[in-house]
Amino acid sequence: VQLVESGGGSVQAGGSLRLSCAASGRTFSSDVMGWFRQAPGKEREFVAGISWNGGTTYYVDSVKGRFTISRDNAKNTVYLQMNTVEPEDTAVYYCAHGRLYSRSPSAYRYWGQGTQVTVSS
């Protein structure tokens, strides 16, 4: 599985960004996709996850109500809509592919290269 993120960049606090993750290489619709982020000097943390059919989503408390994860299996793409961003959201964002939902990075076998999101106050 190959994962390629896009959509990162610099934005002011209160603004919006949409990240995309294009997947290729194997069946996509039966698996779980997750978004993680890693800020300098911090561990990689779970941000959001979505089930194979998009019917179940998961979020870390700090982004609930602000971020929305979605997927389009026809396009083999998962999205992270980030609204009302805060400086604390600054990090490298990674998408990941796994067989079962988990908030642990170790549960995900395939990872994208990451995309930088920088939020200024």
Side-chain angles (χ1 to χ4, degrees):
V1 178
Q2 292 80 44
L3 304 174
V4 179
E5 301 100 335
S6 61
S10 298
V11 62
Q12 289 191 330
S16 298
L17 279 175
R18 189 176 81 155
L19 307 183
S20 299
C21 174
S24 62
R26 60 157 287 169
T27 301
F28 177 71
S29 62
S30 62
D31 302 318
V32 173
M33 297 295 294
W35 283 99
F36 291 76
R37 64 187 180 188
Q38 189 166 19
K42 294 188 177 181
E43 294 186 350
R44 191 168 297 189
E45 69 165 346
F46 172 84
V47 176
I50 190 165
S51 61
W52 70 271
N53 63 356
T56 305
T57 56
Y58 312 88
Y59 297 95
V60 68
D61 285 347
S62 60
V63 307
K64 284 181 180 178
R66 300 189 298 120
F67 292 8
T68 302
I69 188 171
S70 61
R71 66 190 294 167
D72 184 338
N73 286 346
K75 296 181 178 180
N76 279 358
T77 300
V78 63
Y79 305 97
L80 185 68
Q81 179 66 45
M82 305 169 61
N83 296 330
T84 320
V85 295
E86 303 169 352
E88 291 75 21
D89 296 320
T90 295
V92 177
Y93 284 71
Y94 299 89
C95 68
H97 171 283
R99 298 301 305 274
L100 296 173
Y101 164 69
S102 173
R103 296 194 175 211
S104 171
S106 63
Y108 294 78
R109 181 175 180 181
Y110 300 103
W111 293 82
Q113 81 288 353
T115 186
Q116 176 71 46
V117 171
T118 303
V119 182
S120 58
S121 57

